[in-house]
Amino acid sequence: MLTSYSLFDHDRRNKRLQQLHNEKRRQSGIEFPKPGNQQHLLVIRLDLASPPPATPRSVPSSHFSAAHSSLGKTKDALRSEVQRGLKRLCTLFEQIDIGKKKIDKLDKDGKLIRVPLSDFEFSATIGFGIGFFDKLSVPDDKRPKKIKSIPDHFGLGDVTPYSLAQTDLIIQLGSSSDIVNRWVFENKLESQKEKHDDDRSKLNKNKDKQEGVDSPDIVTAIGGWATITDIHTGFQRIDGRNLMGFNDGLSNPRPGSGYKFDNVVWTTDKDEGPILKDGTYLVFQKIEHDLDQWRGLSSEEQEEWVGRNKVTGLLLGTPENEDKKFIEALKNDDQKAKEKLRKLLNDQSDPERPFYDSEEFKNNVPAWSHVRKANPRQEKLPNGKRIEKKLIFRRGYIFSETSLNNRAISGLLFVSFQRDIENSFEFIKKNWLNNKNFPAEEQRPFTKHELSERHSQGRFSLRELAQIRFDLSKKQLLGLDDEYVLMDKLEEIKDRDTQNTGKEGLAGPSELGVIPTGEFLTIVPFGGGYYFIPPIPNRSIANIGQQFFEK
């Protein structure tokens, strides 16, 4: 049995990923190709064509039978149209996968050559929202068991209302080239070479078009049965950092690592039955980061918010973070230092490995930091029990764009995959990240180190102030010997937000949440959706989603 990522070396993981690709059971764009090989993301969200309205209650009973028959035919027509349209769309993806559909590329001599999209690590992933199943009246035994709509902002504990709502479908395109993603999305003009090379008869062409083989792009393939609601583009920086300057997603289930990854991501026979096993659930959220406020913090403050060293990416408390010679060697591109860092990051990348039992990490990674709120790594509690394990697999991408009022905004296209949204993403979001009392004092008391940090930030409980109110030496030590200052502090602690551990480090209020301007550093989720990513039936990408229509 595997006990560490180190037992799954690089070559074995690559072989596992190639095996999964050859098996044609699990959709690509999740475990493979590797996220690091796909620097560009295009997310397209869609709704089905509107279903017919329900039969009015005012229809006389004598006419109900005829009205109901007409409605049934209309619904059947919609269902058939969606089934055929979905076949067209997924046939396009299959043509790309087998290398039959190629893209023109300029070679070094400036000549056009036709190359498969696999040269760009391309993948297309399609997911289905609750509306897809409801509008088409897909029976319960054909739909995923845990599919539901994303809650509103209250339901997930966010502060601001969402502007992006749940949709019926989602398509995720990933590749090493933004142009390739956009070409697959909309490219109705075929090259002259493609036309000359196509020796099929006119009759066969017409037949192929009816079956959807010749849909040149997504826009064409969805015509008549689905409409686009919104489109989002994301990218990765070449240094792997996010716009806040930190390496993102370092602690993540590792693709190709076997059961550790599978247990987090892929549904089983027990989860969904034999037809829908090897699927997964996708969460999409668009999140704005307030970089103007972020830049106002010092590097040390930013590191405490995140819980990692900005230069190395290692958890705070890792001795090498304070090794000046090591840091200098890294800056000078020293290979031995880089190899040592790689090993340290590899050691800390396993999201299941406990770190916060040790004093060096417990006393240096703030309990209210992002990494500790998002994954407490099964921290051991005073009663001997551990905080439960909840994991997701993240494939997040940066976005940068201009809003309707010409304001530059940027942030994260958050994409995660898991076997059960409610028991993973939702649990983490509601019970950890957006829980102002997690982990202290809900799970455990503050440690002595945390109390010292709180006091240095001027945070005290009512009980603590009552104990020192008549102790002049302690009041002087804490800077509370002025009676007016003490009275202000007593008034302040009536606000419960001054007493909790804090919401997610980037959202505030939190232990480090208040900045000198009195504002809170914020992340603003715009909303998104929940989707089920079904497996590939019978090794045929063209048949993805057809299992929902089977009799």
Side-chain angles (χ1 to χ4, degrees):
M1 180 176 289
L2 297 174
T3 57
S4 170
Y5 277 145
S6 61
L7 296 182
F8 243 109
D9 59 32
H10 183 266
D11 290 338
R12 290 180 66 187
R13 287 196 302 274
N14 284 343
K15 288 180 181 179
R16 172 62 176 160
L17 294 177
Q18 186 60 49
Q19 176 188 349
L20 291 173
H21 180 266
N22 295 338
E23 286 175 356
K24 289 289 189 299
R25 174 64 181 173
R26 298 170 179 176
Q27 285 197 52
S28 60
I30 303 166
E31 189 168 5
F32 59 89
K34 292 180 180 179
N37 294 344
Q38 294 185 308
Q39 292 81 27
H40 296 275
L41 187 77
L42 183 62
V43 172
I44 308 149
R45 301 202 310 150
L46 313 97
D47 278 337
L48 297 182
S50 299
T55 304
R57 292 186 179 182
S58 58
V59 174
S61 59
S62 61
H63 299 294
F64 177 76
S65 178
H68 186 269
S69 175
S70 175
L71 177 63
K73 288 181 181 178
T74 309
K75 276 198 170 183
D76 286 343
L78 173 65
R79 184 181 173 91
S80 296
E81 187 175 18
V82 171
Q83 185 176 9
R84 289 193 302 269
L86 185 59
K87 183 79 169 184
R88 288 199 305 270
L89 176 64
C90 292
T91 296
L92 168 64
F93 297 154
E94 181 167 81
Q95 297 292 298
I96 294 172
D97 183 73
I98 63 178
K100 192 169 183 179
K101 184 172 180 60
K102 300 181 179 181
I103 189 171
D104 287 339
K105 175 186 176 183
L106 284 173
D107 66 10
K108 294 180 180 178
D109 298 323
K111 297 179 181 179
L112 278 177
I113 58 173
R114 297 189 61 71
V115 297
L117 272 64
S118 57
D119 285 7
F120 305 94
E121 299 284 349
F122 177 82
S123 69
T125 313
I126 183 168
F128 300 80
I130 184 68
F132 175 90
F133 303 100
D134 287 348
K135 290 177 181 178
L136 299 180
S137 300
V138 177
D140 290 345
D141 62 343
K142 298 295 183 187
R143 64 172 70 190
K145 296 177 181 178
K146 298 175 183 177
I147 191 66
K148 66 176 188 176
S149 182
I150 191 171
D152 61 17
H153 68 291
F154 285 117
L156 289 179
D158 289 325
V159 177
T160 55
Y162 294 156
S163 57
L164 296 177
Q166 177 72 50
T167 63
D168 300 335
L169 292 161
I170 191 169
I171 300 172
Q172 174 190 277
L173 306 181
S175 77
S176 62
S177 168
D178 178 52
I179 298 301
V180 169
N181 290 341
R182 295 175 186 270
W183 184 83
V184 173
F185 172 59
E186 187 167 20
N187 173 48
K188 294 183 180 179
L189 297 176
E190 296 179 339
S191 71
Q192 290 300 313
K193 186 176 187 305
E194 183 176 8
K195 290 179 180 179
H196 289 307
D197 289 347
D198 190 352
D199 59 356
R200 290 174 299 184
S201 68
K202 186 176 181 180
L203 179 63
N204 284 335
K205 279 189 175 183
N206 290 336
K207 181 181 177 183
D208 285 343
K209 286 183 178 179
Q210 289 173 4
E211 294 175 351
V213 173
D214 277 349
S215 293
D217 54 27
I218 291 173
V219 170
T220 305
I222 65 171
W225 64 276
T227 58
I228 296 170
T229 61
D230 43 83
I231 301 172
H232 311 275
T233 57
F235 62 94
Q236 296 176 1
R237 282 178 30 164
I238 59 174
D239 59 2
R241 296 176 183 268
N242 58 30
L243 295 178
M244 294 177 171
F246 285 83
N247 292 100
D248 198 20
L250 288 175
S251 179
N252 213 9
R254 186 167 295 184
S257 60
Y259 85 97
K260 281 194 171 187
F261 188 92
D262 294 351
N263 283 351
V264 173
V265 176
W266 299 111
T267 59
T268 65
D269 195 330
K270 185 177 179 181
D271 292 333
E272 299 289 344
I275 295 177
L276 296 185
K277 74 173 184 178
D278 291 319
T280 186
Y281 288 88
L282 180 155
V283 173
F284 170 73
Q285 279 200 315
K286 191 171 188 176
I287 303 168
E288 180 187 358
H289 291 165
D290 191 331
L291 294 182
D292 288 336
Q293 292 193 63
W294 183 253
R295 296 185 193 101
L297 295 179
S298 67
S299 291
E300 183 179 3
E301 289 172 320
Q302 291 178 0
E303 288 176 344
E304 289 184 322
W305 277 89
V306 175
R308 293 187 181 276
N309 181 276
K310 203 168 185 178
V311 175
T312 66
L314 298 167
L315 293 173
L316 298 181
T318 307
E320 283 72 14
N321 290 337
E322 310 304 322
D323 186 339
K324 294 182 179 180
K325 290 184 178 179
F326 176 69
I327 299 298
E328 189 64 26
L330 284 178
K331 292 180 178 179
N332 292 330
D333 206 28
D334 180 81
Q335 290 303 311
K336 288 186 178 179
K338 289 170 67 176
E339 178 61 20
K340 183 177 182 180
L341 177 61
R342 188 192 67 79
K343 290 179 179 179
L344 288 168
L345 289 172
N346 183 70
D347 184 50
Q348 294 185 4
S349 67
D350 185 347
E352 297 187 41
R353 180 173 178 182
F355 277 100
Y356 307 130
D357 293 344
S358 67
E359 293 299 316
E360 63 178 352
F361 293 113
K362 182 182 292 184
N363 292 333
N364 284 282
V365 182
W368 45 85
S369 65
H370 175 74
V371 296
R372 209 160 168 187
K373 293 274 284 182
N375 182 10
R377 291 178 178 265
Q378 304 167 74
E379 177 185 343
K380 191 172 184 179
L381 302 172
N383 62 9
K385 296 182 178 180
R386 291 187 176 276
I387 297 176
E388 56 191 315
K389 178 178 68 175
K390 302 288 181 181
L391 298 175
I392 58 177
F393 174 60
R394 295 176 59 243
R395 285 187 68 140
Y397 283 74
I398 302 165
F399 77 87
S400 181
E401 61 192 34
T402 304
S403 65
L404 293 176
N405 61 359
N406 292 323
R407 184 174 67 90
I409 61 173
S410 58
L412 177 70
L413 297 181
F414 174 90
V415 181
S416 74
F417 299 92
Q418 50 271 298
R419 286 168 56 190
D420 181 341
I421 291 175
E422 194 169 304
N423 195 41
S424 49
F425 167 78
E426 273 197 12
F427 185 96
I428 293 170
K429 180 87 171 178
K430 294 192 293 187
N431 296 283
W432 291 353
L433 289 175
N434 280 345
N435 180 356
K436 294 182 290 187
N437 299 305
F438 177 82
E441 301 236 286
E442 181 181 277
Q443 294 276 345
R444 59 168 175 75
F446 285 109
T447 65
K448 290 182 179 179
H449 180 80
E450 289 165 353
L451 284 174
S452 176
E453 285 292 304
R454 282 172 60 84
H455 295 165
S456 70
Q457 296 289 327
R459 299 202 174 198
F460 302 88
S461 68
L462 184 61
R463 180 178 55 82
E464 288 170 332
L465 286 184
Q467 289 176 341
I468 67 172
R469 188 168 187 179
F470 302 105
D471 188 327
L472 181 60
S473 60
K474 284 188 177 180
K475 286 195 295 183
Q476 289 175 332
L477 183 64
L478 296 170
L480 298 173
D481 49 318
D482 187 303
E483 192 64 23
Y484 291 104
V485 173
L486 181 60
M487 293 303 294
D488 286 343
K489 187 61 64 177
L490 284 167
E491 188 66 25
E492 176 188 294
I493 63 175
K494 293 179 182 179
D495 180 359
R496 293 186 63 184
D497 282 345
T498 67
Q499 300 307 309
N500 53 53
T501 308
K503 296 178 71 173
E504 178 180 358
L506 304 179
S510 74
E511 297 300 317
L512 298 173
V514 181
I515 61 174
T517 62
E519 299 171 320
F520 288 116
L521 277 165
T522 58
I523 61 172
V524 180
F526 293 157
Y530 293 166
Y531 307 89
F532 181 70
I533 311 295
I536 302 170
N538 303 319
R539 299 170 56 87
S540 173
I541 292 175
N543 286 327
I544 292 175
Q546 297 299 310
Q547 57 263 69
F548 302 132
F549 299 93
E550 294 174 355
K551 300 293 185 181

